[in-house]
Every structure is written in structure tokens, then in C-alpha cells.
């Protein structure tokens, strides 16, 4: 079966229609699951696992706010799989290289299914090897809470790392020695899982101030020495690039947004945490300072750069679903205008008021983009899994103008393809491509093209940009993949936008 | 007319490939100091094939060759000079070496049937070049002169500082000589690529003394330099008002008129014309 973007999808999955299809369907919502015990049982992971009456075929969930510093998933699974459990599904909001121990449970058949929004490292390698028995399901940050609320993912036990937990089971990521800030990805898990286990290294009598997870959903509190390494939550790229090519792209992206008159009082934006995206934010900040413009909010993954924008009153609020560095963690605790939000509030298409729908524009990256403006951030050109949507598809769909910033040629490989290897975000939601060698506008955005006509911005077609890249690199040979489907990429509405194939050439 | 010219090492294909996307008004493909002896031949071939690819638009293509006494000079000039090159940058320039290069260019242009007249930017980087700068700038092919403060300091036995007091006299001498013959006075590069504030200060100082352009050694520097040497939006707006007032004054036969309480006479009108000309040339009007 093929979906509307001519991508093959496996039997048993719903085919992607278009990016606004969800508006025509009625949201399903299962009831929240409340815990029966007000006073929570507190013990170590081993003893809590004993009480959980775990069975074959169950689904366990985890969040990724501790990112590559997470100790919880590995420690919990080490205890869980001391039991001879089989056919377990792991629903983790993201998986990083630190989660390498999961590989052996996949290989020995104890873990047979994975849901995640972002995946790289050894777990990605083993999935690409075909070791996972069922298909990998890559979701979006908004699609995951939607699926949980709709009962499409039924979580038997949610293991939620929290840096501060009180005896009533109220929890947050804001306080404690291993504070990680926002705990937004775990809110849906807490509300809808059959059993909720908070895993913490900081149990307090009473929560110091506010909390993000209400104890009414919590069944158990498991104690461990360290839930993770706080310093490791820092994403690899949270500094403004100094690369002149990246800076050129950033300057041009900000100029386009300025010429579109999007940088004005009250505007809202989101950027990725990458060096070029932050450089765009920096260019925008300079324009704001020069003209005394105050924005309303910045959303998404928050870094120290945005914390400074808030402190300097360039924006009124931050809506934070994930802290990308320790500046953001500190600000989350101390600045009342730094709001922590759930993944559902952030990007669930069926939420009554998702933040992404209020964004004027967003700056996003791409590993590949094609002539239809479809974007891939899930695989590389070989088909190796190197990431995933995260909030990419959600933000592109919700915001007013989606700007993709990327080098036209990366390590001698042109970024513009006839067809991207994997579609993460549909071209209908992508408006502007800014590269170091020119700017292309999606022909569907006639309004943007008209607005830029009277300005000094030179617009090229995406085909012209592709040809310019080919002049430098030649036309690269298409890298084939096998016919073996190893996973699916879900759009935010739960339909499948593309399939993931076992690569023929594994990246070494 | 230029504000910034960017040095790109001739033996670095990835930098060469990106060279034309940056904001510098001119690109200097360097065959001299940036290139090791063992790589002189390959650099020459790489630079030649890139500049002949036709990818560079709207930028002055400059090639810094090896100095006239070096064993590489003749190969450089014979291989590089073509219709795709606008300017040859000559290190360790003297009046004699500029004349010699000009004669050689006459010969190659005729032999290769090159339609245009290739210009020369001599580098003033020895005591002798400083003494001869007035004669150097007079040459028809010379479009401007570049101060090479690092080599000059070595030649003079003085220490280079960020503050630049030691090059104040030479900067001024170059400016006077260049401006007397309506040529570009191009300032020496600021070598600390991590010191953005220092670059601004150094460029402003050069501008104050009369330099109209500056060389840069990192693409990031070009933006700062362009900003310092470009008329500001305030300057452009004021110049437009002056020219409009002048037009109206002319209609009623007035040579001098008043604008916002200030008297506007011929030198101010000429400055306004110059600002608008530069704004148009550097496409600043709609920025």
C-alpha cells in the first residue's frame, strides 16, 4: 500500500493523507488512570519491580529529559529483565547512545517492539540490523502524547525519572542535585499508564514549591543513588556556530524573516538547538535590540541563549518542553516567566490549544530536503537512522512559516534530492529553504513569494539550488536500500508518512 | 570600489569552494604565504580551475601571486592570468616590481587575447615600498594599495600591537598617496579572528585615517568591515534629503539652502552624492 506521498507503507498501518487530515477526524481520549493509594510505597527498584506483577507482552515507558546522562532506563531494565519476560514493548520518548544495554534485550527477544521519537547510537544500529522483532515506530513529540491519550499506546508501567519527589508522589525535574528542568514528555505517561513508578534520587517530605506531576497518578516511588549525570543532559550543539558558512545562512534566514515583517512586537518563534539555528536566533535578537522589539514567546527545547533573551526582556515568556542545558535548568527553577509545559500542550494536534499552533515562525534543520520540500531528519542518505522528528513535523505543521536552514552541500553530499530517503516532515508544511548559496520558497506559498518580490531578497527555485550543488559535487548516485521494512515513521496524527528500510550499506 | 577583500588559501579546496558566498567585496586567492613550497603547483591549478568555473558573480577576483624575485612568480602569472581574473596582488611591491609586472601583464594579455585590462594591487610591506608608495600608486594598472603591516613591522624591526600606533604614520601616508590618485587605500588585516571588538576598533581607526577598505583573513570579519565602511541608513536618509533639497534649490536658482536648521552647500551636496553612489553600488538602499 502507498500513502498520498507515494511512499510504501506496511499492512496494518494507516496511510498518511495530508498534514491537516487530523482536523477532519474526532480525537479519541481514554480516561486518565488514578492511583488508589494516597501514601506511596517507597523502596528500591528491585523491590518495586517485584510488586508490579510484570508479565509477558507488557509496555513500559520512559522519558528522555536526562538525555545521554540517563541512568534510569538501564537500571530499571536490568532489574526487570532478571525476570524471564518476553515480548516487551518499550515506549521511550527518545533513545540515546547511553541506552546501549537495551541492545541485548532486543537481541535476545525480551524487547520486541519500540516506540520512540528520536533514536541514535547502538540501539539504532541493532534496529537497522533487523534485530527488533516487530517494526520500530518513530513518532513525533506531539504524536506520542496523542497516541497515549487515544489509547493507541497502552502503557502498563511508566517509569518516570524525577529529580525531586515528595512522599505524596508529587514530582518535578526542577529541583534536586540532578535537576533536569522540564519533565514535559512524561506527563501523558503519568496520566494514562496503568501503573506509575517515580524513580528518584531525591525524596523529600514536601515538594519545595510547585510540581509538574501530581501524586494522584503515582503508585510507587523507587529510590536509586543517581538518576543520571546532570552535565550529560547538555545537547551536543547548544552554542552559536562560529562556522562562517553557518553564520551566512543564519544572517540570510533572519533577513528573509525581517523582510516578511515577521520580526515585530509580540511575535513568537521556535528554533532548534543546533549551532546554525541559534545563530539565526542571535541575528533576530540583534534586529530586536536595534528596533526595541519584544517578542511574546520562544518555545520548544530551551537553551541558555533563550534564557538570556528572557532575562534581557527580548521575549516575555519561554514555553519549555525540554531543557537542553544547565542554564535552562536553572532558569526553569528560578524565573516565573519560564513555563514548563507538557508534550501534549506543546504539540499534540488534538490538544485544545497547542503552543506550536501559536508560533509565527520556526527555524528547523534538515539532513535532506527534496524538490517537493519534504524534509528528512530521521535517516542519512544511506538510510541509517540518525535521529527522528522530535518536534520537527509538529512545529512545521503548527507554525505560520517554516524555515529550513541547512548547508546546500554537506561533506561533499548535496542536501537537495529528487526524493528524500525518508520523509519526516511533509513538504506541504515547509515554506522556505535557506542555504549558503541561496533561498528557495515553496511555490505553494505564493503569499510569501509576493511579499518578497519588492525586497532585495533574491529567490531561486529549489531546482536551481539543486543544480548549483550538482555543479560542485556532480550528481551523486542514488543509494539503494533493501526491501525489508524495519520500521515506520508516524506523522503527528498517527498515520504513516514513510517506512524505514534495512540499509544495504551500514555506516561504520 | 570596495570595502572588504578576503584572503582564501589557494591550497584549501573546501574554503575555495565556499569563497564566493561570503560578504567580502573581493576574494584574494592566495598563492603566496598561505601555501607551502611543496603545494605551490597544486594551489595554482586548484585556484585556476575554480575561478574559471564561472561560479563567482559580483565579486572582484584577486590572486596574490608570489613575489617577483621568487622562483614561482613566472609560473603563477603565466597560469593564472585570464579573463576570469580582475586583479593581481603583488607582494613586496616596489616601483620597479610594479612596472615589471605591468609589462608582463601587457605581454600575457596580448598573447592570451584577454579583453580586459587586469589591475594590480601592490602590497606595501617594506620600508622601501613605503618610500616609493607615491610612485607605485601612480601606475595606471594600480587600482589600490594594501598595507601589509605584519611584514612591514618585521622589516622595520618594530613590534606589532593591536592598538596599531606603530603603523599610524604608514596608514596616513598610504591614504594620502592613494587618495591623491583616486585609488583604494586598503588597510592591513586584523589578525586576531576571535576578537570581534578589536576588529571593530581597528577598522574604525583605519576609516578615521582615510582608508576605504580592509583586508580580512576570516570570512566572519567581512561583515564587520563592510558595516564600518558602508554608509549607515541614517547617512543614506540624510543624503537623500540633501539631494532632494538641492534639486529644489536648483529650480529656484539657489546654490546654498537650509535643511533641518543646517546650511547645505556644495561640499555637503557632493558628500551626499558620494553616499548615495556607494549605497547604490553596495546595494544598501533597500536594506
Amino acid at each position: 500500500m502507498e500513502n498520498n506521498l507515494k511512499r510504501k507503507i506496511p499492512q496494518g498501518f494507516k496511510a498518511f493523507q495530508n498534514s491537516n487530515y487530523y482536523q477532519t477526524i474526532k480525537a479519541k481520549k481514554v480516561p486518565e488512570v488514578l492511583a488508589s493509594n494516597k501514601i506511596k510505597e517507597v523502596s528500591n527498584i528491585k523491590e518495586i519491580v517485584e510488586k508490579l506483577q510484570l508479565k509477558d507482552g507488557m509496555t513500559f515507558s520512559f522519558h528522555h529529559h536526562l538525555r545521554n546522562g540517563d541512568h534510569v532506563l538501564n537500571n530499571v531494565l536490568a532489574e526487570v529483565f532478571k525476570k524471564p519476560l518476553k515480548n516487551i514493548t518499550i515506549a521511550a520518548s527518545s533513545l540515546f547512545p547511553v541506552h546501549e544495554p537495551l541492545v541485548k534485550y532486543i537481541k535476545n527477544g525480551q524487547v520486541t517492539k519500540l516506540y520512540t521519537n528520536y533514536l541514535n547510537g547502538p540501539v539504532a544500529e541493532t534496529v537497522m540490523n533487523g534485530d527488533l522483532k516487530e517494526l520500530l515506530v518513530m513518532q513525533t513529540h506531539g504524536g506520542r502524547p496523542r497516541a497515549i491519550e487515544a489509547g493507541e499506546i497502552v502503557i502498563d508501567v511508566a517509569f518516570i525519572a524525577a529529580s525531586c519527589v515528595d512522599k505524596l508522589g508529587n514530582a518535578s525535574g526542577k529541583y534536586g542535585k540532578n535537576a533536569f528542568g522540564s519533565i514535559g514528555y512524561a506527563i501523558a505517561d503519568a496520566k494514562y499508564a496503568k501503573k506509575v513508578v517515580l524513580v528518584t534520587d531525591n525524596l523529600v517530605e514536601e515538594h519545595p514549591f510547585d510540581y509538574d506531576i501530581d501524586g494522584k497518578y503515582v503508585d510507587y516511588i523507587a529510590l536509586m543513588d543517581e538518576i543520571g549525570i546532570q552535565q550529560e543532559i547538555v545537547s551536543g550543539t547548544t552554542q552559536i556556530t562560529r562556522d562562517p558558512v553557518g553564520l551566512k545562512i543564519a544572517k540570510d534566514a533572519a533577513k528573509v524573516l525581517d523582510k516578511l515583517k515577521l520580526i515585530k512586537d509580540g511575535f513568537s518563534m521556535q528554533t532548534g538547538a543546533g549551532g546554525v539555528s541559534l545563530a539565526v536566533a542571535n541575528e533576530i535578537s540583534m534586529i530586536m535590540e536595534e528596533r526595541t522589539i519584544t517578542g511574546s514567546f520562544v518555545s520548544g527545547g530551551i537553551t541558555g541563549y533563550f534564557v538570556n533573551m528572557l532575562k534581557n526582556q527580548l521575549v516575555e515568556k519561554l514555553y519549555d518542553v525540554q531543557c537542553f542545558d544547565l542554564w535552562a535548568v536553572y532558569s526553569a527553577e528560578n524565573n516565573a516567566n519560564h513555563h514548563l509545559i507538557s508534550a501534549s500542550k506543546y504539540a499534540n494536534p488534538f490538544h485544545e490549544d497547542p503552543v506550536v499552533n501559536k508560533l509565527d515562525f520556526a527555524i528547523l534543520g534538515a539532513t535532506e530536503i527534496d524538490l517537493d520540500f519534504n524534509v528528512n531528519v530521521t535517516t542519512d542518505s544511506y538510510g541509517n537512522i540518525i535521529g527522528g522528528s522530535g518536534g520537527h513535523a509538529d512545529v512545521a505543521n503548527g507554525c505560520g512559516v517554516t524555515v529550513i536552514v541547512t548547508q546546500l552541500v554537506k561533506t561533499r553530499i548535496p542536501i537537495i534530492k529528487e526524493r528524500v530517503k525518508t520523509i519526516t516532515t511533509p513538504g506541504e508544511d515547509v515554506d522556505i529553504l535557506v542555504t549558503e548559496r541561496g533561498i528557495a520558497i515553496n511555490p505553494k506559498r505564493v503569499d510569501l513569494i509576493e511579499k518578497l518580490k519588492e525586497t532585495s531578497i533574491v529567490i531561486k527555485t529549489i531546482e536551481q539550488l539543486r543544480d548549483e550543488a550538482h555543479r560542485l559535487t556532480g550528481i551523486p548516485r542514488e543509494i539503494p536500500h533493501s526491501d525489508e521494512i524495519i520500521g515506520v515513521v508516524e506523522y503527528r496524527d498517527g498515520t504513516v508518512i514513510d517506512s524505514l528500510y534495512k540499509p544495504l550499506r551500514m555506516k561504520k | 570600489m570596495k570595502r572588504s577583500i578576503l584572503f582564501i588559501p589557494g591550497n584549501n579546496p573546501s574554503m575555495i569552494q565556499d569563497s564566493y558566498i561570503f560578504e567580502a567585496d573581493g576574494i584574494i586567492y592566495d598563492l603566496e604565504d598561505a601555501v607551502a613550497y611543496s603545494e605551490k603547483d597544486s594551489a595554482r591549478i586548484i585556484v585556476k580551475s575554480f575561478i574559471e568555473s564561472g561560479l563567482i558573480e559580483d565579486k572582484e577576483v584577486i590572486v596574490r601571486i608570489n613575489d617577483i624575485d621568487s622562483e614561482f612568480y613566472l609560473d603563477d602569472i603565466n597560469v593564472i592570468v585570464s579573463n576570469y581574473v580582475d586583479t593581481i596582488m603583488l607582494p613586496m611591491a616596489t616601483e620597479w616590481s610594479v612596472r615589471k609586472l605591468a609589462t608582463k601583464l601587457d605581454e600575457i594579455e596580448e598573447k592570451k587575447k584577454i579583453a580586459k585590462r587586469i589591475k594590480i594591487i601592490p602590497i606595501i610591506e617594506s620600508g622601501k615600498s613605503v618610500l616609493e608608495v607615491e610612485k607605485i600608486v601612480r601606475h595606471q594598472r594600480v587600482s589600490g594599495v594594501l598595507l601589509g603591516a605584519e611584514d612591514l613591522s618585521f622589516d622595520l624591526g618594530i613590534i606589532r600591537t593591536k592598538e596599531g600606533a606603530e603603523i599610524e604614520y604608514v596608514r596616513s601616508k598610504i591614504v594620502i598617496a592613494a587618495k591623491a590618485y583616486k585609488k583604494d587605500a586598503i588597510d592591513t588585516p586584523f589578525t586576531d579572528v576571535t576578537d570581534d571588538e578589536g576588529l571593530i576598533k581597528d577598522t574604525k581607526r583605519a576609516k578615521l585615517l582615510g582608508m576605504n577598505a580592509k583586508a580580512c583573513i576570516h570570512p566572519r570579519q567581512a561583515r564587520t568591515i563592510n558595516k564600518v565602511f558602508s554608509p549607515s541608513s541614517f547617512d543614506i536618509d540624510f543624503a537623500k534629503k540633501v539631494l532632494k533639497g538641492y534639486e529644489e534649490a536648483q529650480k529656484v536658482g539657489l546654490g546654498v539652502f537650509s535643511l533641518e536648521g543646517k546650511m547645505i552647500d556644495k561640499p555637503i551636496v557632493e558628500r551626499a552624492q558620494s553616499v548615495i553612489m556607494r549605497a547604490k553600488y553596495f546595494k544598501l538602499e533597500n536594506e
Side-chain angles (χ1 to χ4, degrees), chain A residues 254-325:
Chain A
K255 192 172 165 185
V256 170
L257 293 165
D258 191 30
K259 295 293 177 191
L260 287 170
K261 303 194 187 320
L262 289 168
I263 304 171
K264 58 187 180 192
D265 275 329
F267 82 92
S268 54
M269 70 168 179
Q270 178 162 336
T271 81
V276 178
S277 294
L278 288 180
V280 182
N282 190 48
E283 293 285 342
I284 292 168
S285 294
M286 287 195 281
I287 293 169
M288 293 169 78
E289 278 170 2
E290 197 179 307
R291 297 194 210 140
T292 341
I293 291 169
T294 307
S296 67
F297 71 87
V298 171
S299 64
I302 297 298
T303 65
Y305 189 82
F306 299 119
V307 167
N308 282 335
M309 283 184 78
L310 179 67
K311 269 166 50 183
N312 296 334
Q313 298 179 325
L314 286 175
V315 289
E316 290 165 1
K317 293 184 284 280
L318 300 179
Y319 288 124
D320 180 351
V321 72
Q322 177 176 203
C323 293
F324 274 135
D325 61 25

Side-chain angles (χ1 to χ4, degrees), chain A residues 242 248 259 283 437, chain B residues 17 21 23 220 223 286:
Chain A
R242 289 187 74 83
K248 152 93 170 139
K259 295 293 177 191
E283 293 285 342
R437 285 171 168 82
Chain B
Q17 178 184 286
I21 67 170
E23 293 172 63
R220 283 198 306 118
R223 185 178 182 187
N286 294 322

